[in-house]
Amino acid sequence: DDEDEAAEAADDDAAIDTGLATNELESRSAKEGAKFKAMLELCLRKDEPLIGGAKKRLGSVDPYASPKFVKLGEMLVDSLVDPEEIVTEGVACGHLVFIESIESHAILLVLLRRMIEARRTKEEAALRAAGVPPEEIVKRLYRLDPRRVTVLNSPVWGGDSNRYQMVVDGFNGIVRMRQAATKGTCETDVQEVVRAPAYDILIANRVGSEGWDIQTRTCYLHMLDLPWEPATFIQRIGRAVRQGNIVGEVRIYVHLSR
């Protein structure tokens, strides 16, 4: 029985290890867009009686043309190609974005991925024209990957704290390796192995504002809304400005519209 338990634990370790980098989170990330699109369409249908009159007065409304969201996207995409944003070898600045609305998560996720794809196409063309070797282009632009943007909220991850932890670890660049229990005890050792981060941009709401260590290499914290109570505002800041951040300075932006 002990051997079977040890073998099962080893299999779990392998699944967690490979899943973080490739299968599990990539698979979940690929489904986020479709789930968010369906959720957004449902919400818009429910709100149609309320916003129908406004739409007639304003004409066609493009949710992806929000000046605030577009400005944030420009800042984030510029950061992804800025060589000065490298914190240490193989580790670049991370952006933590807070906004409570799930519908806004949907819009931001789609918008950012579109902007990243467009910028990558432009940068690749310029580098090829300059005669830069393909392998060097891949090295320079590895962060311009739509899959390196993800979200931390309940609808996508099903309220599963283990999956929340995998997302946080993927943003921090940490893989948690569970070891087999020592014979005759109920204790299980956990080791942390530092890896290159899987994500550079994490969009979160209240799920990520308290109880998670998201500070390892967070350089920027963006708030696209203001919480009702000061405590949540402070908690958001505390996700990045805390012991364990390898960055010397965290820049905090509160994005407002007028």
Side-chain angles (χ1 to χ4, degrees), residues 20-254:
L20 179 62
T22 53
N23 300 328
E24 179 67 19
L25 290 184
E26 261 190 33
S27 173
R28 301 288 291 195
S29 179
K31 296 176 183 177
E32 287 169 12
K35 292 181 66 175
F36 269 135
K37 183 179 179 181
M39 184 188 306
L40 182 59
E41 290 176 348
L42 176 62
C43 291
L44 289 176
R45 284 199 299 271
K46 289 182 177 179
D47 291 340
E48 184 64 29
L50 297 176
I51 65 176
K55 288 176 66 177
K56 289 179 181 178
R57 291 192 300 271
L58 298 175
S60 178
V61 177
D62 181 2
Y64 304 108
S66 162
K68 182 163 66 172
F69 287 5
V70 171
K71 181 63 177 178
L72 171 68
E74 292 171 350
M75 292 178 63
L76 297 180
V77 174
D78 285 344
S79 173
L80 296 180
V81 294
D82 187 351
E84 298 296 324
E85 298 294 319
I86 303 300
V87 176
T88 185
E89 185 176 356
V91 179
C93 275
H95 290 263
L96 183 55
V97 180
F98 279 109
I99 185 167
E100 195 60 36
S101 165
I102 297 297
E103 291 76 18
S104 294
H105 286 204
I107 294 170
L108 265 179
L109 191 69
V110 174
L111 175 64
L112 290 176
R113 287 178 171 175
R114 287 178 180 177
M115 296 180 73
I116 289 171
E117 288 175 349
R119 183 63 174 269
R120 184 180 183 90
T121 300
K122 178 180 177 181
E123 295 287 339
E124 280 184 347
L127 291 173
R128 282 198 301 268
V132 178
E135 59 274 13
E136 180 63 21
I137 293 178
V138 172
K139 182 179 179 181
R140 291 189 191 183
L141 302 182
Y142 80 95
R143 298 179 71 209
L144 281 177
D145 184 341
R147 295 172 299 178
R148 296 182 69 85
V149 184
T150 193
V151 296
L152 186 62
N153 62 43
S154 181
V156 169
W157 300 103
D160 187 336
S161 60
N162 291 324
R163 295 193 182 278
Y164 292 160
Q165 188 65 66
M166 291 180 71
V167 174
V168 169
D169 289 347
F171 180 75
N172 284 331
I174 294 174
V175 179
R176 297 178 185 271
M177 306 286 289
R178 192 184 73 184
Q179 304 299 308
T182 305
K183 187 174 182 179
T185 73
C186 296
E187 297 181 356
T188 301
D189 295 328
V190 176
Q191 293 182 349
E192 291 186 351
V193 180
V194 178
R195 300 281 178 85
Y199 304 114
D200 292 311
I201 301 171
L202 177 60
I203 305 167
N205 61 358
R206 71 185 66 184
V207 170
S209 66
E210 187 173 353
W212 300 103
D213 296 331
I214 321 178
Q215 79 278 10
T216 303
R217 48 99 191 202
T218 300
C219 299
Y220 298 92
L221 190 149
H222 304 269
M223 296 193 208
L224 293 172
D225 60 6
L226 288 174
W228 283 103
E229 63 287 326
T232 300
F233 186 85
I234 295 170
Q235 286 288 348
R236 287 179 174 183
I237 294 174
R239 296 315 95 210
V241 183
R242 62 190 296 121
Q243 186 175 2
N245 194 328
I246 64 176
V247 182
E249 177 183 80
V250 177
R251 297 183 182 182
I252 301 172
Y253 293 90
V254 178

